[in-house]
Amino acid sequence: MSSDAESTERGRGRVLAVSTVGFTLMFAVWLMFGVLGIKIRDEFGLNDVQLSWITAVAVLNGSIWRLPAGIAADRWGGRKVFVVMLAFTALPAYLVSTASSYAVLLVYAFLVGFAGNAFSAGIAWVSAWWPQGRKGMALGVFGAGNVGASVTKFIGPAMIAAVPAGGLLFGVIPGGWRSVPMVYAILLVIMAAVTWFGTPHHDHTPGRGRSFKELLAPLKHARAWRFSLYYAVVFGAYVALAAWLPKYYVDVYDVPLSKAALLTALFIFPASLLRPVGGWISDKFGARRVMYATFGTMLVASGVLMMPYGHIVVLDGEGAASEVLPWHVGVVLFTVLVFVIGCAMGIGKAAVYKHIPEYFPHDVGAVGGLVGSLGALGGFFLPPLFAYTTSWTGLPQSTFFVLFALTLVAAVWMHVTVVNLLHSASPGLTHKFEHDQLTTTATDIEEAVPAVPRVTASTRSAGAHS
């Protein structure tokens, strides 16, 4: 390997390592209210709907700027954009620690939610540095920074308990739950400096010199919007559950907050750390097969979890009542099923993003930003929807009915699309899927979808005579 090649390899390695650490921190900041919310609810006397909006507004601001952030990274360089985002987020993180009322906290929670937009900037930055044949794994490693959602789950309860009411360092770090956003503010400033000085100073800018109209052109394709729905299922719902599960464990199973945080981490870890594995599996077996498996697994697990607890009362001829078919999901079975959903989400997230550099190699920032933005908006809408459906039905299990319904819609849309593509390619391929021995017959089968079956000349001939 030449010295230039070695330098490039080291450079892309530093970009991947630093961006992944930075994204992990930003993700921890973005979703910190999942654990802090219990203490915030107690201090401000909030109900569940009010509490859900604190998480929701943070998720909202972490979604709406993903498209501009991705385009900016493509146009001006991921390193510059990433550093600016780290430094900017430090200010609202500090402000959260000073909030004195629910209304003020809502504003600061919205501002600190900007941290969530780091994903699209990082995806564009990493994608620009890594070659096509290795993008899937590199993007999967970066995406594993989603594990940042568990950081507050681990350190939050311990820090809240350890920091005295009067704070530390002469009050610079406040006591109680406010210590967590203050520490994050300090870490964000440090990480901005590490990113600026620890990564190659030159940026790859695939969007430089192109008009914004050109950069936004791929968003006209229906596929980009369909991927956004898939991502709402595997990522938006992940964000929502990561914030919602601690409260669910506390309210439904009456476990202490520290234990609830650890049990939630059992969902977050596979949903984050399996993302590189999902990229590898998608490379090997095809991303659409992975999405079928993802949606199928989520439908089964959420279908079990959404069933109301109770029993059937049977009256005999003498009027005596007996209870049959009792149904109740204990904390162990609940945790196992949520873990399974987390595994499916972790693998599915990689499958969705595996396609973007292949379909839109010069527009990863724009398309990745759109998919990330609309997908993450699921994390904005779902927590209030969880709260409202629970309030309307009186059943906490309705949380998983919402997840089941969303997953079903995405799965049906995907299947209908695939079936239509197969029929349009050739009626003879109706029962074939991603066959490795087939090659494409058309220049545009769903605009060159890699996972669609390929058709050879012999197959065309057979189809013509059938």
Side-chain angles (χ1 to χ4, degrees), residues 21 24 74 77 83 126 181 202 227 238 250 342 344 384 425 430 437:
V21 174
T24 301
D74 272 350
V83 168
V126 172
H202 61 285
F227 285 170
Y238 157 75
V250 170
T430 299
Q437 303 303 316

Side-chain angles (χ1 to χ4, degrees), residues 98-118:
T98 68
S100 58
S101 69
Y102 174 64
V104 171
L105 182 59
L106 271 180
V107 174
Y108 292 163
F110 175 80
L111 293 176
V112 81
F114 183 76
N117 298 291

Side-chain angles (χ1 to χ4, degrees), residues 40-41 88 151 173 187 197 202 210 285 296 334 361 365 378 385 437 443 445 449:
I40 291 171
R41 180 178 65 178
F88 174 82
V151 171
I173 297 178
L187 292 177
F197 295 106
H202 61 285
R210 301 171 62 197
F285 298 105
F334 178 85
L385 192 55
Q437 303 303 316
T443 58
I445 299 177
V449 175

Side-chain angles (χ1 to χ4, degrees), residues 114-133:
F114 183 76
N117 298 291
F119 174 76
S120 55
I123 282 286
W125 187 19
V126 172
S127 179
W129 271 88
W130 284 78
Q132 186 64 38

Side-chain angles (χ1 to χ4, degrees), residues 76-444:
W76 294 298
R79 174 175 169 267
K80 299 183 183 71
V81 174
F82 211 75
V83 168
V84 169
M85 296 179 78
L86 284 164
F88 174 82
T89 307
L91 177 58
Y94 160 74
L95 292 175
V96 167
S97 70
T98 68
S100 58
S101 69
Y102 174 64
V104 171
L105 182 59
L106 271 180
V107 174
Y108 292 163
F110 175 80
L111 293 176
V112 81
F114 183 76
N117 298 291
F119 174 76
S120 55
I123 282 286
W125 187 19
V126 172
S127 179
W129 271 88
W130 284 78
Q132 186 64 38
R134 300 165 67 187
K135 281 186 193 294
M137 183 61 69
L139 295 178
V141 170
F142 172 80
N146 288 164
V147 76
S150 68
V151 171
T152 311
K153 307 290 189 294
F154 281 112
I155 71 170
M159 187 180 300
I160 292 170
V163 177
L168 297 173
L169 301 177
F170 305 102
V172 173
I173 297 178
W177 66 266
R178 299 171 188 274
S179 63
V180 177
M182 174 59 80
V183 169
Y184 280 156
I186 296 170
L187 292 177
L188 285 167
V189 173
I190 294 173
M191 195 66 220
V194 170
T195 304
W196 183 254
F197 295 106
T199 57
H201 288 194
H202 61 285
D203 262 330
H204 298 297
T205 52
R208 184 182 294 275
R210 301 171 62 197
S211 67
F212 282 104
K213 183 177 180 180
E214 289 180 283
L215 292 172
L216 293 173
L219 305 188
K220 295 183 295 185
H221 299 293
R223 183 193 306 110
W225 298 88
R226 189 169 64 254
F227 285 170
S228 299
L229 177 61
Y230 300 168
Y231 205 58
V233 174
V234 295
F235 178 72
Y238 157 75
V239 170
L241 286 176
W244 191 254
L245 283 176
K247 191 193 79 66
Y248 194 99
Y249 275 112
V250 170
D251 292 347
V252 176
Y253 295 107
D254 196 28
V255 300
L257 177 59
S258 58
K259 183 178 180 181
L262 292 176
L263 291 175
T264 302
L266 294 178
F267 161 75
I268 291 172
F269 272 116
S272 305
L273 298 181
L274 286 180
R275 195 160 181 162
V277 177
W280 178 82
I281 296 175
S282 298
D283 285 338
K284 188 173 180 64
F285 298 105
R288 291 206 185 276
R289 280 178 175 164
V290 174
M291 292 309 302
Y292 268 110
T294 294
F295 289 155
T297 301
M298 291 180 63
L299 286 171
V300 171
S302 60
V304 174
L305 289 172
M306 75 178 182
M307 295 173 62
Y309 301 166
H311 54 264
I312 297 176
V313 178
V314 178
L315 299 177
D316 60 22
E318 299 178 355
S322 59
E323 299 174 358
V324 298
L325 299 177
W327 172 252
H328 178 78
V329 175
V331 67
V332 174
L333 178 57
F334 178 85
T335 302
V336 169
L337 290 173
V338 168
F339 174 83
V340 170
I341 291 175
C343 291
M345 286 179 169
I347 292 172
K349 283 185 284 189
V352 174
Y353 262 86
K354 160 73 175 141
H355 289 100
I356 294 175
E358 295 183 354
Y359 296 146
F360 309 101
H362 304 296
D363 300 286
V364 173
V367 178
L370 175 72
V371 172
S373 180
L374 297 184
L377 280 175
F380 165 69
F381 288 108
L382 288 174
L385 192 55
F386 292 163
Y388 283 120
T389 54
T390 300
S391 176
W392 294 333
T393 64
L395 300 172
Q397 298 83 13
S398 61
T399 291
F400 295 96
F401 171 76
V402 174
L403 177 61
F404 180 90
L406 178 64
T407 305
L408 183 62
V409 170
V412 169
W413 189 7
M414 180 180 73
H415 184 66
V416 169
T417 300
V418 170
V419 169
N420 288 339
L421 290 171
L422 294 177
H423 281 292
S424 64
S426 172
L429 293 180
T430 299
H431 302 294
K432 297 181 182 292
F433 189 67
E434 286 186 341
H435 198 295
D436 293 337
Q437 303 303 316
L438 302 179
T439 57
T440 188
T441 62
T443 58
D444 184 19

